[in-house]
Amino acid sequence: MFLIKRLTNFLTVTFGVLLLTFLLIHLVPGDPVEVMLGESASSADRETLRAELGLDQPLLQQFGAYLNRLAHGDLGHSIHTRTPIAGLVHSRYPATLKLALLSLVIGLTVGIPLGIFSALKAGRWQDILVTIVSVRLAAMPAFWLGPVLMLMFAVWLGWLPVSGMETSTSIILPAVTLGFGLSAILTRMTRTSLLEVLNDDYIRTARAKGLSERVVILRHAMRAALLPIITIVGLQMGSLLAGAVITETIFSWDGIGRLLVESIEKRDYPVTQACVLVVALSYVAVNLFTDLLYKLADPRVRVT
């Protein structure tokens, strides 16, 4: 039953994403033929290219042909470079996955310990300081924090590359930009969840049994507080895998998000559809993994 429900949800979400994406990109002003040939091209050349690309067909027929190709595992070809889209996605997605995973590691290693510390110091100046810092970080959008970090550590101090992917340290600034925002959210969520369970009877019982505070917090309290944290991590991981479009654009990181932006600018419909499809599938996969983590974190949870 679980697999049937998940498969049904997967097919429904995928079809909805494909349909909406197809309609939206065709509603956006601009003609890919004009972008490719320029304004000086003759009408005959435009019509020839439009027919060659299949853009002269009715939208319903174009959508049907796209679904047919997709059912056979063919993402099609870029209408600008004529290269297979599967190759483009395959060359860009690992960069996004690498950036997302490092950002997640930064978010977890900073956010959860700070949240625990803040909960244990609730009401004191340390808690207030952590709260102020996390709220400030959460309020900083990537399009502001990214350039600030770039100016400080790349332009002024010269410690890190400004942008690109040429060196191994190029990933630090975009990962920190994404990771700080995630850590701020996790700090607040960990603090709130932990405070809700610290006064429960089983926590008092664990302390009365003489267990150390470290064991009480990490083994008993944090396990009960994990469910909302897993939810936030799952949602944020989906966003990170969505390409972190702004951050990748700011730092010229050649991931799936930058490929999506480039394809929209060029009105490269097949590439845009493929990028959105990959993003949607990433979300579905992360949500499925999050559901399974619920069960591991708390065996009382029923995954249906």
Side-chain angles (χ1 to χ4, degrees), residues 2 11 23-24 36 47 94 97 157 198 228 243 247 260 297 302:
F2 172 74
L11 293 175
L23 293 176
L24 287 175
M36 295 172 67
E47 292 305 319
L97 185 61
L157 298 175
L198 279 179
T247 304
L260 176 61
R302 292 185 60 191

Side-chain angles (χ1 to χ4, degrees), residues 74-87:
D74 181 13
L75 291 175
H77 290 71
S78 166
I79 61 177
H80 277 269
T81 62
R82 308 298 176 93
T83 54
I85 296 173

Side-chain angles (χ1 to χ4, degrees), residues 187-219:
T187 298
R188 304 305 306 152
M189 181 55 67
T190 302
R191 178 188 182 277
T192 303
S193 300
L194 198 54
L195 285 177
E196 288 179 356
V197 301
L198 279 179
N199 292 322
D200 286 350
D201 291 340
Y202 72 94
I203 296 296
R204 283 195 288 270
T205 301
R207 284 170 172 158
K209 288 166 62 179
L211 297 177
S212 66
E213 190 67 11
R214 179 174 174 273
V215 172
V216 171
I217 297 298
L218 297 182
R219 183 177 298 175

Side-chain angles (χ1 to χ4, degrees), residues 287-300:
N287 284 334
L288 176 61
F289 185 65
T290 303
D291 286 345
L292 296 177
L293 279 182
Y294 282 162
K295 187 68 176 174
L296 290 176
D298 189 347
R300 295 170 300 176

Side-chain angles (χ1 to χ4, degrees), residues 148-162:
V148 169
L149 293 177
M150 189 186 293
L151 280 173
M152 292 176 61
F153 296 100
V155 178
W156 294 341
L157 298 175
W159 292 351
L160 297 168
V162 175

Side-chain angles (χ1 to χ4, degrees), residues 27-252:
L27 289 175
V28 174
D31 187 348
V33 173
E34 290 189 2
V35 174
M36 295 172 67
L37 297 181
E39 297 180 355
S40 59
S42 65
S43 299
D45 290 339
R46 292 180 183 178
E47 292 305 319
T48 301
L49 182 57
R50 187 169 283 107
E52 182 182 342
L53 297 175
L55 299 176
D56 59 336
Q57 302 296 322
L59 286 183
L60 186 60
Q61 189 171 338
Q62 291 185 44
F63 185 61
Y66 172 65
L67 290 182
N68 183 48
R69 289 196 303 272
L70 201 59
H72 291 84
D74 181 13
L75 291 175
H77 290 71
S78 166
I79 61 177
H80 277 269
T81 62
R82 308 298 176 93
T83 54
I85 296 173
L88 288 175
V89 172
H90 184 263
S91 66
R92 296 294 190 95
Y93 195 72
T96 293
L97 185 61
K98 184 178 175 183
L99 177 61
L101 289 177
L102 184 57
S103 304
L104 182 65
V105 169
I106 294 173
L108 291 174
T109 53
V110 175
I112 292 181
L114 271 182
I116 295 174
F117 176 76
S118 183
L120 296 178
K121 302 292 183 181
R124 303 179 189 175
W125 67 268
Q126 298 97 329
D127 176 37
I128 296 173
L129 178 62
V130 171
T131 300
I132 292 173
V133 172
S134 60
V135 169
R136 292 286 186 272
L137 277 177
M140 294 178 186
F143 63 80
W144 183 86
L145 182 59
V148 169
L149 293 177
M150 189 186 293
L151 280 173
M152 292 176 61
F153 296 100
V155 178
W156 294 341
L157 298 175
W159 292 351
L160 297 168
V162 175
S163 61
M165 299 174 58
E166 287 75 19
T167 66
S168 58
T169 56
S170 300
I171 195 173
I172 295 178
L173 287 181
V176 169
T177 301
L178 293 172
F180 272 11
L182 176 59
S183 67
I185 298 172
L186 286 177
T187 298
R188 304 305 306 152
M189 181 55 67
T190 302
R191 178 188 182 277
T192 303
S193 300
L194 198 54
L195 285 177
E196 288 179 356
V197 301
L198 279 179
N199 292 322
D200 286 350
D201 291 340
Y202 72 94
I203 296 296
R204 283 195 288 270
T205 301
R207 284 170 172 158
K209 288 166 62 179
L211 297 177
S212 66
E213 190 67 11
R214 179 174 174 273
V215 172
V216 171
I217 297 298
L218 297 182
R219 183 177 298 175
H220 297 281
M222 275 306 295
R223 184 163 189 173
L226 268 181
L227 290 184
I229 298 173
I230 291 174
T231 303
I232 292 297
V233 171
L235 292 173
Q236 292 298 315
M237 188 61 188
S239 300
L240 294 174
L241 286 175
V245 176
I246 296 174
T247 304
E248 289 189 359
T249 303
I250 292 173
F251 291 98
S252 299

